[in-house]
Amino acid sequence: AQKVTQAQTEISVVEKEDVTLDCVYETRDTTYYLFWYKQPPSGELVFLIRRNSFDEQNEISGRYSWNFQKSTSSFNFTITASQVVDSAVYFCALIGAGSYQLTFGKGTKLSVIP
Amino acid sequence: EAQVTQNPRYLITVTGKKLTVTCSQNMNHEYMSWYRQDPGLGLRQIYYSMNVEVTDKGDVPEGYKVSRKEKRNFPLILESPSPNQTSLYFCASSLDPGQGYEQYFGPGTRLTVT
């Protein structure tokens, strides 16, 4: 069985602070994919990034960066210089190769205070 | 514009009154799925479909039915809704999630069963 744990239920930061959202996963699959989705207050789910299990290269996209560490089964998400528009619920998700079932974490609600 | 549409967006109904939530995608995706989102529980998969006429249960299928008669449509049917099915529902589609393709989500349907 697969499991995704986002231990931080809610985080509040002041604008311009950096913040890291943690994601720890469990899977028996040797090949799998990890995702981050954003759910802003408007409610839609927005895809942010996908990472393959065989590619441990970290990724940076503007103020966003992702740190994938297979050794610790973690796929953490850092927002640098946070902005009010970053306020949202962020979900980490996992799917095994060849599977049809995406397993989501329970989400982390990020509030960025001006 | 590539999108997943759901209707209705909001629905208030009474216990036992059959209802259908429609879902349609215009991306020619073979895979479609339904999720429910509840506070503190994240997103949980209800049913998914790998192709026309091929469906399977997710993690929380009880009380729901689906059908996939056409590639673009994947309606969710609640034959006898109960208050514990009050939730936010999302439809999603993907080329092939098991190959790492992201899922595209509809805008959500907020269902209240009284």
Side-chain angles (χ1 to χ4, degrees), chain A residues 34-65:
Chain A
L34 294 158
F35 300 83
W36 275 96
Y37 283 86
K38 174 182 181 180
Q39 186 177 41
S42 50
E44 73 272 22
L45 283 155
V46 179
F47 165 74
L48 293 178
I49 191 171
R50 165 189 53 248
R51 175 60 66 214
N52 306 325
S53 58
F54 44 86
D55 180 6
E56 288 197 66
Q57 200 169 27
N58 291 328
E59 184 152 341
I60 298 175
S61 176
R63 297 184 296 107
Y64 294 173
S65 63

Side-chain angles (χ1 to χ4, degrees), chain A residues 33 35 37 39 42-47 50 52 89 91 95-107, chain B residues 31 35 37 40-43 45 48 50 57-59 88 90 96-107:
Chain A
Y33 304 91
F35 300 83
Y37 283 86
Q39 186 177 41
S42 50
E44 73 272 22
L45 283 155
V46 179
F47 165 74
R50 165 189 53 248
N52 306 325
V89 180
F91 291 97
I95 190 167
S99 173
Y100 294 104
Q101 294 193 264
L102 187 64
T103 299
F104 282 87
K106 294 183 179 180
Chain B
Y31 175 91
Y35 297 87
Q37 182 180 6
L41 296 178
L43 284 97
Q45 192 176 44
Y48 61 93
M50 300 79 85
K57 297 177 181 179
D59 296 318
L88 178 59
F90 287 99
D96 188 345
Q99 295 301 316
Y101 289 97
E102 68 269 29
Q103 296 192 29
Y104 294 80
F105 286 84

Side-chain angles (χ1 to χ4, degrees), chain A residues 18-81:
Chain A
D18 299 346
V19 58
T20 295
L21 309 183
D22 297 332
C23 173
V24 174
Y25 62 92
E26 296 174 29
T27 181
R28 293 181 181 174
D29 293 316
T30 53
T31 303
Y32 51 88
Y33 304 91
L34 294 158
F35 300 83
W36 275 96
Y37 283 86
K38 174 182 181 180
Q39 186 177 41
S42 50
E44 73 272 22
L45 283 155
V46 179
F47 165 74
L48 293 178
I49 191 171
R50 165 189 53 248
R51 175 60 66 214
N52 306 325
S53 58
F54 44 86
D55 180 6
E56 288 197 66
Q57 200 169 27
N58 291 328
E59 184 152 341
I60 298 175
S61 176
R63 297 184 296 107
Y64 294 173
S65 63
W66 291 269
N67 181 5
F68 174 39
Q69 290 199 327
K70 214 167 174 177
S71 60
T72 56
S73 298
S74 64
F75 185 40
N76 296 337
F77 173 28
T78 297
I79 302 174
T80 303

